Every structure is written in C-alpha cells, then in structure tokens.
mmCIF file of all heavy atoms in Angstrom:
data_model
loop_
_atom_site.group_PDB
_atom_site.id
_atom_site.type_symbol
_atom_site.label_atom_id
_atom_site.label_comp_id
_atom_site.label_asym_id
_atom_site.label_seq_id
_atom_site.Cartn_x
_atom_site.Cartn_y
_atom_site.Cartn_z
ATOM 1 N N VAL A 11 0.846 -1.178 0.006
ATOM 2 C CA VAL A 11 -0.002 0.002 0.002
ATOM 3 C C VAL A 11 0.880 1.230 0.022
ATOM 4 O O VAL A 11 1.762 1.400 0.876
ATOM 5 C CB VAL A 11 -0.926 0.005 1.216
ATOM 6 C CG1 VAL A 11 -1.844 1.268 1.157
ATOM 7 C CG2 VAL A 11 -1.782 -1.256 1.308
ATOM 8 N N GLY A 12 0.670 2.114 -0.959
ATOM 9 C CA GLY A 12 1.374 3.383 -0.982
ATOM 10 C C GLY A 12 0.383 4.518 -0.726
ATOM 11 O O GLY A 12 -0.468 4.793 -1.582
ATOM 12 N N LEU A 13 0.475 5.159 0.435
ATOM 13 C CA LEU A 13 -0.392 6.287 0.778
ATOM 14 C C LEU A 13 0.392 7.564 0.504
ATOM 15 O O LEU A 13 1.221 8.007 1.306
ATOM 16 C CB LEU A 13 -0.807 6.183 2.226
ATOM 17 C CG LEU A 13 -1.574 4.884 2.611
ATOM 18 C CD1 LEU A 13 -1.829 4.866 4.130
ATOM 19 C CD2 LEU A 13 -2.852 4.778 1.820
ATOM 20 N N ILE A 14 0.123 8.138 -0.659
ATOM 21 C CA ILE A 14 0.943 9.248 -1.170
ATOM 22 C C ILE A 14 0.151 10.544 -1.133
ATOM 23 O O ILE A 14 -0.910 10.647 -1.813
ATOM 24 C CB ILE A 14 1.433 8.970 -2.611
ATOM 25 C CG1 ILE A 14 2.071 7.557 -2.719
ATOM 26 C CG2 ILE A 14 2.404 10.053 -3.062
ATOM 27 C CD1 ILE A 14 3.238 7.370 -1.782
ATOM 28 N N GLY A 15 0.575 11.484 -0.362
ATOM 29 C CA GLY A 15 -0.022 12.814 -0.343
ATOM 30 C C GLY A 15 -1.332 12.883 0.392
ATOM 31 O O GLY A 15 -2.058 13.899 0.253
ATOM 32 N N GLU A 16 -1.699 11.883 1.163
ATOM 33 C CA GLU A 16 -2.988 11.898 1.873
ATOM 34 C C GLU A 16 -2.768 12.617 3.240
ATOM 35 O O GLU A 16 -1.685 12.835 3.686
ATOM 36 C CB GLU A 16 -3.477 10.502 2.140
ATOM 37 C CG GLU A 16 -3.838 9.728 0.847
ATOM 38 C CD GLU A 16 -4.958 10.401 0.073
ATOM 39 O OE1 GLU A 16 -5.957 10.817 0.676
ATOM 40 O OE2 GLU A 16 -4.811 10.556 -1.153
ATOM 41 N N ARG A 17 -3.905 12.953 3.866
ATOM 42 C CA ARG A 17 -3.830 13.586 5.204
ATOM 43 C C ARG A 17 -3.320 12.576 6.209
ATOM 44 O O ARG A 17 -3.578 11.378 6.143
ATOM 45 C CB ARG A 17 -5.218 14.076 5.614
ATOM 46 C CG ARG A 17 -5.764 15.194 4.762
ATOM 47 C CD ARG A 17 -7.059 15.727 5.312
ATOM 48 N NE ARG A 17 -8.166 14.737 5.153
ATOM 49 C CZ ARG A 17 -8.922 14.658 4.052
ATOM 50 N NH1 ARG A 17 -8.685 15.467 3.028
ATOM 51 N NH2 ARG A 17 -9.878 13.779 3.988
ATOM 52 N N GLY A 18 -2.582 13.097 7.203
ATOM 53 C CA GLY A 18 -1.954 12.225 8.194
ATOM 54 C C GLY A 18 -3.017 11.441 8.961
ATOM 55 O O GLY A 18 -2.796 10.284 9.319
ATOM 56 N N ARG A 19 -4.182 12.056 9.230
ATOM 57 C CA ARG A 19 -5.207 11.350 9.951
ATOM 58 C C ARG A 19 -5.722 10.152 9.127
ATOM 59 O O ARG A 19 -6.017 9.084 9.657
ATOM 60 C CB ARG A 19 -6.383 12.329 10.210
ATOM 61 C CG ARG A 19 -7.563 11.656 10.941
ATOM 62 C CD ARG A 19 -8.808 12.542 10.893
ATOM 63 N NE ARG A 19 -9.282 12.712 9.539
ATOM 64 C CZ ARG A 19 -10.018 11.835 8.879
ATOM 65 N NH1 ARG A 19 -10.287 10.682 9.420
ATOM 66 N NH2 ARG A 19 -10.406 12.077 7.653
ATOM 67 N N GLU A 20 -5.828 10.316 7.807
ATOM 68 C CA GLU A 20 -6.305 9.269 6.970
ATOM 69 C C GLU A 20 -5.334 8.069 6.888
ATOM 70 O O GLU A 20 -5.759 6.958 6.694
ATOM 71 C CB GLU A 20 -6.598 9.783 5.543
ATOM 72 C CG GLU A 20 -7.774 10.693 5.457
ATOM 73 C CD GLU A 20 -8.115 11.047 4.005
ATOM 74 O OE1 GLU A 20 -7.237 10.861 3.149
ATOM 75 O OE2 GLU A 20 -9.244 11.495 3.762
ATOM 76 N N VAL A 21 -4.042 8.378 7.076
ATOM 77 C CA VAL A 21 -3.035 7.272 7.073
ATOM 78 C C VAL A 21 -3.311 6.325 8.196
ATOM 79 O O VAL A 21 -3.411 5.089 8.020
ATOM 80 C CB VAL A 21 -1.615 7.865 7.131
ATOM 81 C CG1 VAL A 21 -0.619 6.751 7.311
ATOM 82 C CG2 VAL A 21 -1.285 8.651 5.884
ATOM 83 N N LYS A 22 -3.409 6.870 9.419
ATOM 84 C CA LYS A 22 -3.691 5.981 10.598
ATOM 85 C C LYS A 22 -5.042 5.331 10.483
ATOM 86 O O LYS A 22 -5.205 4.167 10.840
ATOM 87 C CB LYS A 22 -3.578 6.833 11.845
ATOM 88 C CG LYS A 22 -3.752 6.035 13.145
ATOM 89 C CD LYS A 22 -3.411 6.811 14.367
ATOM 90 C CE LYS A 22 -3.629 6.017 15.647
ATOM 91 N NZ LYS A 22 -2.825 4.800 15.676
ATOM 92 N N ASP A 23 -6.043 6.049 10.026
ATOM 93 C CA ASP A 23 -7.383 5.488 9.900
ATOM 94 C C ASP A 23 -7.401 4.346 8.920
ATOM 95 O O ASP A 23 -8.036 3.292 9.147
ATOM 96 C CB ASP A 23 -8.354 6.552 9.480
ATOM 97 C CG ASP A 23 -9.802 6.066 9.366
ATOM 98 O OD1 ASP A 23 -10.361 5.683 10.410
ATOM 99 O OD2 ASP A 23 -10.326 5.978 8.248
ATOM 100 N N PHE A 24 -6.697 4.483 7.784
ATOM 101 C CA PHE A 24 -6.630 3.426 6.791
ATOM 102 C C PHE A 24 -5.958 2.175 7.351
ATOM 103 O O PHE A 24 -6.437 1.072 7.124
ATOM 104 C CB PHE A 24 -5.902 3.927 5.526
ATOM 105 C CG PHE A 24 -5.896 2.925 4.405
ATOM 106 C CD1 PHE A 24 -6.862 2.990 3.438
ATOM 107 C CD2 PHE A 24 -4.922 1.974 4.283
ATOM 108 C CE1 PHE A 24 -6.888 2.082 2.361
ATOM 109 C CE2 PHE A 24 -4.940 1.066 3.239
ATOM 110 C CZ PHE A 24 -5.917 1.133 2.292
ATOM 111 N N ILE A 25 -4.896 2.378 8.097
ATOM 112 C CA ILE A 25 -4.152 1.241 8.607
ATOM 113 C C ILE A 25 -4.932 0.537 9.694
ATOM 114 O O ILE A 25 -5.028 -0.719 9.708
ATOM 115 C CB ILE A 25 -2.788 1.717 9.150
ATOM 116 C CG1 ILE A 25 -1.901 2.236 7.963
ATOM 117 C CG2 ILE A 25 -2.059 0.582 9.864
ATOM 118 C CD1 ILE A 25 -0.646 2.901 8.395
ATOM 119 N N ASP A 26 -5.470 1.290 10.612
ATOM 120 C CA ASP A 26 -6.124 0.670 11.801
ATOM 121 C C ASP A 26 -7.568 0.169 11.512
ATOM 122 O O ASP A 26 -7.942 -0.934 11.910
ATOM 123 C CB ASP A 26 -6.208 1.686 12.963
ATOM 124 C CG ASP A 26 -4.809 2.001 13.470
ATOM 125 O OD1 ASP A 26 -3.887 1.237 13.198
ATOM 126 O OD2 ASP A 26 -4.664 3.043 14.149
ATOM 127 N N ASN A 27 -8.369 0.982 10.796
ATOM 128 C CA ASN A 27 -9.766 0.674 10.658
ATOM 129 C C ASN A 27 -10.154 0.093 9.297
ATOM 130 O O ASN A 27 -11.055 -0.762 9.244
ATOM 131 C CB ASN A 27 -10.609 1.955 10.897
ATOM 132 C CG ASN A 27 -10.346 2.548 12.274
ATOM 133 O OD1 ASN A 27 -10.151 1.828 13.250
ATOM 134 N ND2 ASN A 27 -10.359 3.877 12.359
ATOM 135 N N ILE A 28 -9.491 0.490 8.259
ATOM 136 C CA ILE A 28 -9.904 0.043 6.924
ATOM 137 C C ILE A 28 -9.082 -1.183 6.495
ATOM 138 O O ILE A 28 -9.630 -2.225 6.102
ATOM 139 C CB ILE A 28 -9.733 1.185 5.907
ATOM 140 C CG1 ILE A 28 -10.685 2.344 6.244
ATOM 141 C CG2 ILE A 28 -10.035 0.674 4.493
ATOM 142 C CD1 ILE A 28 -10.590 3.514 5.326
ATOM 143 N N LEU A 29 -7.770 -1.145 6.669
ATOM 144 C CA LEU A 29 -6.968 -2.291 6.324
ATOM 145 C C LEU A 29 -7.145 -3.401 7.368
ATOM 146 O O LEU A 29 -7.333 -4.550 7.016
ATOM 147 C CB LEU A 29 -5.480 -1.866 6.272
ATOM 148 C CG LEU A 29 -4.481 -2.926 5.744
ATOM 149 C CD1 LEU A 29 -4.808 -3.334 4.331
ATOM 150 C CD2 LEU A 29 -3.062 -2.340 5.810
ATOM 151 N N GLY A 30 -7.138 -3.033 8.625
ATOM 152 C CA GLY A 30 -7.436 -4.006 9.704
ATOM 153 C C GLY A 30 -6.249 -4.969 9.952
ATOM 154 O O GLY A 30 -5.257 -4.948 9.209
ATOM 155 N N ASP A 31 -6.399 -5.722 11.040
ATOM 156 C CA ASP A 31 -5.298 -6.618 11.430
ATOM 157 C C ASP A 31 -5.093 -7.742 10.400
ATOM 158 O O ASP A 31 -3.935 -8.116 10.098
ATOM 159 C CB ASP A 31 -5.647 -7.265 12.788
ATOM 160 C CG ASP A 31 -5.642 -6.230 13.927
ATOM 161 O OD1 ASP A 31 -4.961 -5.216 13.772
ATOM 162 O OD2 ASP A 31 -6.329 -6.495 14.914
ATOM 163 N N GLU A 32 -6.192 -8.231 9.806
ATOM 164 C CA GLU A 32 -6.062 -9.295 8.819
ATOM 165 C C GLU A 32 -5.266 -8.892 7.612
ATOM 166 O O GLU A 32 -4.412 -9.559 7.082
ATOM 167 C CB GLU A 32 -7.447 -9.799 8.434
ATOM 168 C CG GLU A 32 -7.403 -10.928 7.384
ATOM 169 C CD GLU A 32 -8.821 -11.295 6.917
ATOM 170 O OE1 GLU A 32 -9.801 -10.801 7.492
ATOM 171 O OE2 GLU A 32 -8.897 -12.088 5.960
ATOM 172 N N GLY A 33 -5.603 -7.660 7.102
ATOM 173 C CA GLY A 33 -4.911 -7.184 5.929
ATOM 174 C C GLY A 33 -3.485 -6.746 6.223
ATOM 175 O O GLY A 33 -2.601 -6.918 5.361
ATOM 176 N N ARG A 34 -3.272 -6.189 7.394
ATOM 177 C CA ARG A 34 -1.934 -5.648 7.711
ATOM 178 C C ARG A 34 -0.884 -6.733 7.849
ATOM 179 O O ARG A 34 0.277 -6.526 7.565
ATOM 180 C CB ARG A 34 -2.045 -4.803 8.995
ATOM 181 C CG ARG A 34 -0.765 -4.083 9.319
ATOM 182 C CD ARG A 34 -0.920 -3.132 10.475
ATOM 183 N NE ARG A 34 0.365 -2.550 10.875
ATOM 184 C CZ ARG A 34 0.513 -1.662 11.836
ATOM 185 N NH1 ARG A 34 -0.534 -1.279 12.512
ATOM 186 N NH2 ARG A 34 1.716 -1.209 12.139
ATOM 187 N N ARG A 35 -1.304 -7.923 8.297
ATOM 188 C CA ARG A 35 -0.306 -8.984 8.475
ATOM 189 C C ARG A 35 0.443 -9.374 7.235
ATOM 190 O O ARG A 35 1.571 -9.766 7.284
ATOM 191 C CB ARG A 35 -1.018 -10.245 9.072
ATOM 192 C CG ARG A 35 -1.243 -10.143 10.599
ATOM 193 C CD ARG A 35 -1.630 -11.537 11.126
ATOM 194 N NE ARG A 35 -2.938 -11.971 10.603
ATOM 195 C CZ ARG A 35 -4.081 -11.736 11.193
ATOM 196 N NH1 ARG A 35 -4.096 -11.019 12.354
ATOM 197 N NH2 ARG A 35 -5.240 -12.174 10.688
ATOM 198 N N ARG A 36 -0.240 -9.223 6.079
ATOM 199 C CA ARG A 36 0.467 -9.579 4.843
ATOM 200 C C ARG A 36 0.701 -8.364 3.962
ATOM 201 O O ARG A 36 0.822 -8.411 2.761
ATOM 202 C CB ARG A 36 -0.416 -10.579 4.064
ATOM 203 C CG ARG A 36 -1.804 -10.127 3.790
ATOM 204 C CD ARG A 36 -2.627 -11.215 3.091
ATOM 205 N NE ARG A 36 -4.006 -10.768 2.870
ATOM 206 C CZ ARG A 36 -4.676 -10.883 1.726
ATOM 207 N NH1 ARG A 36 -4.050 -11.398 0.712
ATOM 208 N NH2 ARG A 36 -5.902 -10.463 1.649
ATOM 209 N N ALA A 37 0.752 -7.153 4.610
ATOM 210 C CA ALA A 37 0.859 -5.909 3.872
ATOM 211 C C ALA A 37 2.096 -5.126 4.295
ATOM 212 O O ALA A 37 2.525 -5.172 5.477
ATOM 213 C CB ALA A 37 -0.351 -5.057 4.056
ATOM 214 N N ALA A 38 2.719 -4.436 3.353
ATOM 215 C CA ALA A 38 3.752 -3.461 3.603
ATOM 216 C C ALA A 38 3.175 -2.075 3.243
ATOM 217 O O ALA A 38 2.716 -1.927 2.113
ATOM 218 C CB ALA A 38 4.992 -3.758 2.776
ATOM 219 N N VAL A 39 3.211 -1.155 4.135
ATOM 220 C CA VAL A 39 2.598 0.160 3.919
ATOM 221 C C VAL A 39 3.715 1.224 3.868
ATOM 222 O O VAL A 39 4.554 1.325 4.743
ATOM 223 C CB VAL A 39 1.627 0.519 5.073
ATOM 224 C CG1 VAL A 39 0.988 1.890 4.807
ATOM 225 C CG2 VAL A 39 0.546 -0.546 5.166
ATOM 226 N N VAL A 40 3.696 2.006 2.792
ATOM 227 C CA VAL A 40 4.601 3.131 2.606
ATOM 228 C C VAL A 40 3.768 4.390 2.714
ATOM 229 O O VAL A 40 2.856 4.581 1.872
ATOM 230 C CB VAL A 40 5.331 3.080 1.257
ATOM 231 C CG1 VAL A 40 6.281 4.257 1.147
ATOM 232 C CG2 VAL A 40 6.124 1.789 1.121
ATOM 233 N N ALA A 41 4.021 5.230 3.686
ATOM 234 C CA ALA A 41 3.233 6.427 3.904
ATOM 235 C C ALA A 41 4.079 7.674 3.716
ATOM 236 O O ALA A 41 5.106 7.860 4.360
ATOM 237 C CB ALA A 41 2.625 6.400 5.317
ATOM 238 N N ALA A 42 3.666 8.520 2.762
ATOM 239 C CA ALA A 42 4.252 9.838 2.563
ATOM 240 C C ALA A 42 3.160 10.828 2.542
ATOM 241 O O ALA A 42 2.632 11.193 1.495
ATOM 242 C CB ALA A 42 5.041 9.844 1.230
ATOM 243 N N PRO A 43 2.735 11.320 3.752
ATOM 244 C CA PRO A 43 1.534 12.197 3.826
ATOM 245 C C PRO A 43 1.730 13.532 3.152
ATOM 246 O O PRO A 43 2.825 13.860 2.642
ATOM 247 C CB PRO A 43 1.347 12.371 5.335
ATOM 248 C CG PRO A 43 2.148 11.273 5.977
ATOM 249 C CD PRO A 43 3.281 11.004 5.032
ATOM 250 N N ALA A 44 0.695 14.352 3.172
ATOM 251 C CA ALA A 44 0.692 15.626 2.462
ATOM 252 C C ALA A 44 1.681 16.599 3.019
ATOM 253 O O ALA A 44 2.127 17.520 2.332
ATOM 254 C CB ALA A 44 -0.729 16.218 2.479
ATOM 255 N N ASP A 45 2.062 16.474 4.338
ATOM 256 C CA ASP A 45 2.979 17.426 4.970
ATOM 257 C C ASP A 45 4.409 17.113 4.690
ATOM 258 O O ASP A 45 5.313 17.826 5.163
ATOM 259 C CB ASP A 45 2.711 17.551 6.456
ATOM 260 C CG ASP A 45 2.876 16.197 7.166
ATOM 261 O OD1 ASP A 45 2.899 15.170 6.463
ATOM 262 O OD2 ASP A 45 2.970 16.208 8.415
ATOM 263 N N THR A 46 4.702 16.029 3.971
ATOM 264 C CA THR A 46 6.044 15.708 3.608
ATOM 265 C C THR A 46 6.448 16.458 2.325
ATOM 266 O O THR A 46 5.591 17.003 1.617
ATOM 267 C CB THR A 46 6.274 14.193 3.390
ATOM 268 O OG1 THR A 46 5.372 13.768 2.388
ATOM 269 C CG2 THR A 46 5.978 13.455 4.701
ATOM 270 N N SER A 47 7.741 16.456 2.029
ATOM 271 C CA SER A 47 8.213 17.218 0.839
ATOM 272 C C SER A 47 7.755 16.496 -0.431
ATOM 273 O O SER A 47 7.399 15.316 -0.434
ATOM 274 C CB SER A 47 9.740 17.302 0.853
ATOM 275 O OG SER A 47 10.322 16.027 0.689
ATOM 276 N N ALA A 48 7.780 17.224 -1.533
ATOM 277 C CA ALA A 48 7.439 16.652 -2.810
ATOM 278 C C ALA A 48 8.325 15.476 -3.206
ATOM 279 O O ALA A 48 7.862 14.481 -3.754
ATOM 280 C CB ALA A 48 7.471 17.740 -3.889
ATOM 281 N N LEU A 49 9.580 15.594 -2.829
ATOM 282 C CA LEU A 49 10.502 14.498 -3.103
ATOM 283 C C LEU A 49 10.181 13.247 -2.325
ATOM 284 O O LEU A 49 10.268 12.112 -2.841
ATOM 285 C CB LEU A 49 11.958 14.939 -2.813
ATOM 286 C CG LEU A 49 12.721 15.597 -3.916
ATOM 287 C CD1 LEU A 49 14.117 15.955 -3.420
ATOM 288 C CD2 LEU A 49 12.864 14.675 -5.114
ATOM 289 N N GLN A 50 9.756 13.415 -1.065
ATOM 290 C CA GLN A 50 9.344 12.286 -0.258
ATOM 291 C C GLN A 50 8.137 11.593 -0.884
ATOM 292 O O GLN A 50 8.026 10.355 -0.857
ATOM 293 C CB GLN A 50 9.035 12.735 1.178
ATOM 294 C CG GLN A 50 10.276 12.893 2.039
ATOM 295 C CD GLN A 50 10.696 11.597 2.693
ATOM 296 O OE1 GLN A 50 10.316 10.534 2.247
ATOM 297 N NE2 GLN A 50 11.528 11.696 3.683
ATOM 298 N N ARG A 51 7.199 12.362 -1.433
ATOM 299 C CA ARG A 51 6.008 11.756 -2.024
ATOM 300 C C ARG A 51 6.375 11.000 -3.305
ATOM 301 O O ARG A 51 5.894 9.889 -3.527
ATOM 302 C CB ARG A 51 4.987 12.849 -2.309
ATOM 303 C CG ARG A 51 4.184 13.295 -1.083
ATOM 304 C CD ARG A 51 3.326 14.486 -1.387
ATOM 305 N NE ARG A 51 4.044 15.759 -1.096
ATOM 306 C CZ ARG A 51 3.847 16.896 -1.689
ATOM 307 N NH1 ARG A 51 2.925 16.988 -2.611
ATOM 308 N NH2 ARG A 51 4.526 17.966 -1.336
ATOM 309 N N LEU A 52 7.250 11.576 -4.138
ATOM 310 C CA LEU A 52 7.709 10.865 -5.301
ATOM 311 C C LEU A 52 8.460 9.615 -4.908
ATOM 312 O O LEU A 52 8.249 8.531 -5.482
ATOM 313 C CB LEU A 52 8.605 11.779 -6.142
ATOM 314 C CG LEU A 52 8.006 12.826 -6.990
ATOM 315 C CD1 LEU A 52 9.078 13.553 -7.792
ATOM 316 C CD2 LEU A 52 6.947 12.315 -7.898
ATOM 317 N N GLN A 53 9.330 9.719 -3.922
ATOM 318 C CA GLN A 53 10.139 8.603 -3.498
ATOM 319 C C GLN A 53 9.265 7.505 -2.865
ATOM 320 O O GLN A 53 9.530 6.305 -3.032
ATOM 321 C CB GLN A 53 11.178 9.097 -2.473
ATOM 322 C CG GLN A 53 12.318 8.157 -2.243
ATOM 323 C CD GLN A 53 13.455 8.820 -1.508
ATOM 324 O OE1 GLN A 53 14.388 9.334 -2.097
ATOM 325 N NE2 GLN A 53 13.376 8.832 -0.170
ATOM 326 N N GLY A 54 8.240 7.921 -2.157
ATOM 327 C CA GLY A 54 7.306 6.965 -1.552
ATOM 328 C C GLY A 54 6.590 6.102 -2.580
ATOM 329 O O GLY A 54 6.448 4.875 -2.415
#
C-alpha cells in the first residue's frame, strides 16, 4: 500500500480501521503524507 499525499489522519485510519489486522499482517505500507516534501512523495 502506498499512501501518497494523503492527510496524516487518513493514514492511521486506513491502517487501523480500513486495512485491519487481517490485511496488515500480509501488507507493507509506505506512507508519505501531504505534509512531507514533494521528493518524499515521489520517493514513496
């Protein structure tokens, strides 16, 4: 999962409530929220 440019609140909500424990066990999440630099978002 690549969460690129989203709000920081949505990152935690997606991981905890939407992805859930079942999905997270087999998932790798890369988060580059909106408050990171443009390079971090591209790199993410």
